[in-house]
Amino acid sequence: MKTVIERCVILGLVCCMNFSMIAFAQKTANFEGVVVFKKKGETHGIVDSVTMRLYIKGDKFMAEDVKDANQPRIIVDSKKKAIFMVTDRSREYMQMPMPPATPVTPAKAPVKTTDKQTIAGHDCERWTDKGIELDSELWASSDLGKLSLPSGQMGVNLISSNNMATFLKNSGLFPMLFIERNKAGREMTRLEVVSVERKNLAEQVFEPPQGYNKMAMPTGTLNDGQDNTPKKKKK
């Protein structure tokens, strides 16, 4: 079981985003369909890449590893405030509480440039943001509807810039290409859309399948909702 949990973390954190809460919102039409992302990232000198397929419907999404069907699928349902890790190989799933929401507005607004290009058949504009350690670049389209991406705390990590992720959550934009570079100009993260398919998705896609066994979440693993801080002894 440990290896399954570790792979879930890798699927999320090494496959990479670090912002916090998925929120498909209100003012702009939300995207519904299937998006395939290719993610390459470097962490502490280790380069890893993954191709993820995201099924998205309103305030729900399901993520799976395209190249390895044995890896767990991750389901996030923000209405139920729940995260599920589903292992089809063993017909089991775990349920975790959703972490706290991110700030509703970015600390500073990314800068919109005049640069434009077409990515996967969609017109995109370029936004930039300078951080303390990393500078980020976002190419986003306004013709697909709104797509906010989930956070590393939720088991799936696609955009590691909290500020850029919060900006996306509040915009009507669809991220097509996201790049992070260190101050020396070295590319540390690249998230790129491979394909986009608008389609209606059944509710069952975002639920653990019937007949699967629910497992207890091991204490101290990811976010089990428990307070593991040492208790002070009463004098």
Side-chain angles (χ1 to χ4, degrees):
M1 188 68 248
K2 183 179 179 182
T3 56
V4 171
I5 296 170
E6 287 175 346
R7 177 56 184 172
C8 286
V9 176
I10 292 171
L11 177 63
L13 301 179
V14 177
C15 128
C16 284
M17 327 183 238
N18 184 23
F19 59 129
S20 83
M21 183 173 172
I22 190 166
F24 297 100
Q26 293 89 262
K27 295 182 180 179
T28 317
N30 300 314
F31 174 82
E32 180 176 355
V34 182
V35 185
V36 177
F37 287 100
K38 188 172 184 179
K39 181 68 181 282
K40 183 177 180 180
E42 180 177 334
T43 306
H44 304 303
I46 299 174
V47 178
D48 195 14
S49 62
V50 66
T51 303
M52 292 185 66
R53 184 183 292 113
L54 264 67
Y55 296 79
I56 302 157
K57 184 183 180 74
D59 50 11
K60 307 180 186 74
F61 82 87
M62 188 270 282
E64 62 185 8
D65 190 322
V66 171
K67 296 181 180 179
D68 191 348
N70 289 322
Q71 299 307 328
R73 295 182 286 120
I74 300 172
I75 297 171
V76 175
D77 188 328
S78 61
K79 272 192 177 178
K80 294 180 179 178
K81 299 188 183 303
I83 305 167
F84 302 92
M85 289 187 180
V86 181
T87 307
D88 295 313
R89 180 178 51 188
S90 58
R91 298 176 64 84
E92 297 173 310
Y93 73 93
M94 289 185 292
Q95 181 176 346
M96 295 155 287
M98 186 173 287
T102 49
V104 293
T105 56
K108 60 174 183 176
V111 176
K112 183 179 180 180
T113 73
T114 58
D115 299 333
K116 298 181 180 182
Q117 69 168 313
T118 301
I119 301 176
H122 296 277
D123 294 334
C124 298
E125 295 179 307
R126 179 173 172 262
W127 302 75
T128 61
D129 184 40
K130 292 187 180 298
I132 296 175
E133 297 181 355
L134 297 172
D135 296 333
S136 57
E137 173 183 337
L138 172 70
W139 290 86
S141 174
S142 60
D143 64 356
L144 278 165
K146 176 185 176 65
L147 174 61
S148 297
L149 290 171
S151 81
Q153 292 178 344
M154 301 167 79
V156 178
N157 183 8
L158 290 176
I159 291 186
S160 47
S161 165
N162 283 315
N163 199 59
M164 194 69 87
T166 305
F167 163 73
L168 262 178
K169 184 178 72 173
N170 289 283
S171 73
L173 300 174
F174 190 105
M176 301 295 287
L177 175 63
F178 173 76
I179 300 171
E180 275 186 322
R181 296 181 178 89
N182 64 18
K183 294 302 181 179
R186 180 181 176 85
E187 189 172 298
M188 306 302 290
T189 302
R190 173 178 284 261
L191 170 71
E192 191 167 3
V193 167
V194 175
S195 64
V196 181
E197 180 185 6
R198 278 181 169 141
K199 63 185 297 187
N200 295 328
L201 299 173
E203 293 293 334
Q204 289 81 358
V205 173
F206 309 97
E207 301 170 357
Q210 291 186 357
Y212 278 35
N213 295 320
K214 184 177 181 179
M215 299 180 294
M217 192 66 191
T219 301
T221 305
L222 296 179
N223 182 0
D224 56 16
Q226 298 183 22
D227 183 3
N228 298 313
T229 55
K231 306 295 182 184
K232 293 182 178 179
K233 293 183 180 179
K234 294 182 180 180
K235 294 183 179 179

